[in-house]
Amino acid sequence: NAGVTQTPKFRVLKTGQSMTLLCAQDMNHEYMYWYRQDPGMGLRLIHYSVGEGTTAKGEVPDGYNVSRLKKQNFLLGLESAAPSQTSVYFCASSYGRGPGELFFGEGSRLTVL
Amino acid sequence: AQKITQTQPGMFVQEKEAVTLDCTYDTSDPSYGLFWYKQPSSGEMIFLIYQGSYDQQNATEGRYSLNFQKARKSANLVISASQLGDSAMYFCAMSPNFGNEKLTFGTGTRLTIIP
């Protein structure tokens, strides 16, 4: 039972490079989320999706794009990485809007040089 | 806008003692949910406990209980009989209007259990 799986777990980029983080969940959840975690701060929502084919902006969406072409997958893209995007990224999913717990992936550590 | 405040950056507690982690919140929504998550050094986020704003009784899950004081807007986590494995970061979070898409996290408290 995999739950929420994030790929890759670690990545180092140079400023201006692009990359995509993949999140996959096998729980048939409707809602999926991308968060970033920075030192001394709580998790902040980047983008989220309420179902296949939908996306919406969260608290800190600038510099990121997302896609939800399949219900089980939620992709986070960085078109032109900046050092300020150095962070740990968490994907999460939930059955519905709430109330209820979010199920998190193990996190992806991204460093932008 | 909603806000979660965790005023204890770090705490040290003797093993087997009880510990209370503070959390205060601010929201204008009458309906909301309160969560606690644990983040061990390995990095994953582990759900601990949930309290709805209309729940009359404090939530409990094993050694975890949530001390919900609505009038004070506080949702403290109580861990009874602490164990070495409880050493971790703990995050309080709130979903206003029961909406997961608006989940707001506090800055966390780092708990260290001393043997």
Side-chain angles (χ1 to χ4, degrees):
Chain A
N1 190 359
V4 179
T5 304
Q6 294 180 226
T7 310
K9 299 289 191 294
F10 302 92
R11 185 73 187 270
V12 178
L13 288 177
K14 294 182 179 179
T15 297
Q17 287 185 322
S18 63
M19 76 157 295
T20 300
L21 292 173
L22 170 63
C23 177
Q25 54 95 2
D26 61 2
M27 296 173 283
N28 201 34
H29 284 170
E30 288 293 334
Y31 280 56
M32 296 186 75
Y33 317 81
W34 276 108
Y35 286 89
R36 62 177 287 173
Q37 183 179 29
D38 301 297
M41 305 184 73
L43 275 69
R44 292 182 293 167
L45 182 64
I46 305 170
H47 286 281
Y48 66 97
S49 168
V50 303
E52 182 178 315
T54 75
T55 63
K57 294 180 180 180
E59 180 185 357
V60 288
D62 294 342
Y64 305 95
N65 56 76
V66 289
S67 64
R68 182 106 180 261
L69 298 179
K70 294 183 178 181
K71 185 177 183 179
Q72 63 267 32
N73 296 337
F74 195 29
L75 278 64
L76 178 71
L78 286 72
E79 289 188 348
S80 179
S84 61
Q85 294 177 304
T86 293
S87 189
V88 179
Y89 292 86
F90 284 94
C91 177
S93 70
S94 64
Y95 180 74
R97 182 175 181 269
E101 71 174 283
L102 270 61
F103 293 81
F104 283 86
E106 295 181 341
S108 297
R109 183 174 295 274
L110 174 65
T111 301
V112 183
L113 302 175
Chain B
Q2 58 277 355
K3 186 177 181 181
I4 292 282
T5 302
Q6 295 182 254
T7 57
Q8 305 154 310
M11 288 188 68
F12 291 85
V13 173
Q14 204 75 37
E15 188 180 7
K16 299 182 183 178
E17 290 186 349
V19 56
T20 298
L21 305 181
D22 295 340
C23 172
T24 58
Y25 60 90
D26 189 23
T27 181
S28 56
D29 292 303
S31 305
Y32 50 88
L34 295 157
F35 302 79
W36 278 92
Y37 283 86
K38 172 184 179 181
Q39 186 178 42
S41 58
S42 51
E44 72 272 27
M45 296 288 286
I46 302 169
F47 167 77
L48 295 178
I49 197 167
Y50 167 81
Q51 177 90 37
S53 59
Y54 295 121
D55 294 341
Q56 295 294 316
Q57 298 206 344
N58 288 340
T60 60
E61 290 286 349
R63 293 186 299 113
Y64 304 108
S65 61
L66 198 152
N67 185 0
F68 181 44
Q69 298 190 35
K70 197 170 183 177
R72 296 185 177 183
K73 293 189 174 180
S74 74
N76 298 341
L77 177 70
V78 180
I79 306 174
S80 63
S82 58
Q83 303 171 356
L84 295 178
D86 294 331
S87 293
M89 281 289 289
Y90 288 80
F91 292 95
C92 180
M94 177 177 66
S95 61
N97 202 23
F98 296 132
N100 284 339
E101 73 275 16
K102 298 293 185 183
L103 197 65
T104 300
F105 286 81
T107 54
T109 295
R110 181 170 297 282
L111 175 65
T112 302
I113 307 299
I114 305 168

